[in-house]
């Protein structure tokens, strides 16, 4: 909460006009192209991050598919996760998010501009319909982000269990699966501090359809989960080694 207040305070001259424009666009998405809406969201995201002492480090951009029509599967650390990927990824994408987030101010407007699908995990029929619609749109060249854990892990950089059902949209679309490892993405909004924080975003090598077409969705989920956790572990250990060498030098 403190960081959100700082983001607003440091951008106080921009907030009223920006908020009005965001709300208008969220309510009239059909008047804008997907590129225009995403460009505006990234502009807001950039200023919010600078004002909130949040730095984004992007790794593995060379792994991203050149053609659109794929699905991101990141680990889910906190409310800030989508905003980290928005700054890290320059091309439009949409989100499949749980319906609980639909009424949170700012996130509500951001998701509307992204034409996100809000999924009710207690309604199997509605959830299946979302999977079908997302798979159709991915085939048509849209990119999506799905949190396979289903909810925030609340364990910092420890990844929760990835659910096989989250990968049904990918298997139906026969599209590339792009694992995304987020490090320290829980710190901006889920810790009570305003100290500078760096969020690391790692785009891992995609799984092409040929790589996973013979696998069960539970097997795909386990593979993606393990690759993300391994990336997080390796880079946390690397950062700790650097800090230790710096302390020793001093």
């Amino acid at each position: 909460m403190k960081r959100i207040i700082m983001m607003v305070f440091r951008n106080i001259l921009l907030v009223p006009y920006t908020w009005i424009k965001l709300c208008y666009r969220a309510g009239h998405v059909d008047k804008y192209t997907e590129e225009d809406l995403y460009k505006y969201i990234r502009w807001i995201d950039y200023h919010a991050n600078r004002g909130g002492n949040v730095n984004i480090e992007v790794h593995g951009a060379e792994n991203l598919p050149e053609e659109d029509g794929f699905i991101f599967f990141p680990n889910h650390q906190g409310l800030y996760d989508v905003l980290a990927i928005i700054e890290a990824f320059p091309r439009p994408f949409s989100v499949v998010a749980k319906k609980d987030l639909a009424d949170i101010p700012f996130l509500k407007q951001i998701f509307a501009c992204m034409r996100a699908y809000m999924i009710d995990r207690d309604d199997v029929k509605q959830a299946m319909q979302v999977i079908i619609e997302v798979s159709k749109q991915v085939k048509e060249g849209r990119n999506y982000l799905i949190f396979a854990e289903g909810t925030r892990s609340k364990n910092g950089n420890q990844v929760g269990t990835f659910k096989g059902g989250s990968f049904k949209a990918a298997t139906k679309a026969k599209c590339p699966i792009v694992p995304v490892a987020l490090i320290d993405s829980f710190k901006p909004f889920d810790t009570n501090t305003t100290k500078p924080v760096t969020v690391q975003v790692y785009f891992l090598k995609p799984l092409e359809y040929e790589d996973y077409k013979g696998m069960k969705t539970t097997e795909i989920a386990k593979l993606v989960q393990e690759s993300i956790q391994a990336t997080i572990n390796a880079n946390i250990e690397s950062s700790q080694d650097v800090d230790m060498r710096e302390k020793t030098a001093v």
Side-chain angles (χ1 to χ4, degrees):
M1 179 59 73
K2 286 183 178 180
R3 194 179 302 274
I4 295 175
I5 292 172
M6 184 170 69
M7 286 177 170
V8 172
F9 181 76
R10 288 185 171 177
N11 290 287
I12 195 64
L13 296 179
L14 294 174
V15 168
Y17 179 66
T18 299
W19 176 248
I20 291 171
K21 286 187 67 176
L22 177 63
C23 289
Y24 181 82
R25 292 180 183 223
H28 302 83
V29 292
D30 292 337
K31 290 186 176 182
Y32 302 89
T33 66
E34 192 170 19
E35 288 73 20
D36 287 338
L37 290 168
Y38 190 67
K39 182 178 180 180
Y40 188 63
I41 290 171
R42 291 194 83 211
W43 182 84
I44 294 174
D45 191 39
Y46 174 83
H47 286 280
N49 287 338
R50 301 295 84 76
N53 285 340
V54 182
N55 178 55
I56 307 297
E57 282 187 5
V58 184
H59 305 269
E62 68 279 3
N63 290 324
L64 291 166
E66 293 183 4
E67 294 186 5
D68 291 326
F70 57 85
I71 303 179
F72 289 124
F73 285 93
N75 53 311
H76 195 7
Q77 295 192 341
L79 294 173
Y80 182 77
D81 296 346
V82 173
L83 301 181
I85 298 175
I86 286 174
E87 178 165 334
F89 187 63
R91 286 140 58 189
F93 69 91
S94 191
V95 181
V96 176
K98 58 183 181 180
K99 69 171 187 177
D100 308 46
L101 302 178
D103 296 322
I104 297 178
F106 183 65
L107 285 181
K108 176 182 179 180
Q109 285 74 27
I110 291 293
F111 285 152
C113 287
M114 296 178 78
R115 296 184 172 94
Y117 277 104
M118 311 311 291
I119 193 167
D120 184 352
R121 289 176 295 175
D122 295 325
D123 186 337
V124 177
K125 184 177 180 180
Q126 187 265 356
M128 182 55 66
Q129 188 59 41
V130 168
I131 289 172
I132 293 171
E133 289 300 321
V134 168
S135 64
K136 286 180 180 178
Q137 293 192 26
V138 171
K139 286 180 179 179
E140 293 171 359
R142 294 195 75 206
N143 307 316
Y144 271 84
L145 181 153
I146 298 176
F147 290 113
E149 289 161 279
T151 188
R152 289 173 284 167
S153 66
K154 298 183 180 179
N155 289 314
N157 290 311
Q158 184 64 39
V159 178
T161 302
F162 276 33
K163 297 174 174 59
S166 301
F167 291 84
K168 288 182 179 179
T171 58
K172 285 181 177 294
K174 300 181 180 180
C175 69
I177 290 171
V178 182
V180 183
L182 298 175
I183 298 177
D184 291 342
S185 187
F186 65 96
K187 291 183 177 179
F189 288 170
D190 293 81
T191 59
N192 195 29
T193 179
T194 58
K195 293 181 179 179
V197 60
T198 295
V199 175
Q200 299 178 57
V201 180
Y202 286 83
F203 296 113
L204 309 187
K205 185 177 179 181
L207 287 175
E208 301 292 341
Y209 179 65
E210 293 299 318
D211 299 327
Y212 67 79
K213 67 178 182 179
M215 300 171 64
K216 297 178 181 178
T217 54
T218 52
E219 295 173 331
I220 300 171
K222 184 178 179 181
L223 177 62
V224 173
Q225 176 187 329
E226 290 178 347
S227 66
I228 289 174
Q229 188 65 69
T231 300
I232 292 172
N233 292 345
N235 288 283
I236 288 178
E237 291 172 4
S238 177
S239 297
Q240 290 174 341
D241 289 342
V242 170
D243 291 342
M244 184 62 68
R245 287 197 295 270
E246 290 177 349
K247 290 178 180 179
T248 302
V250 172

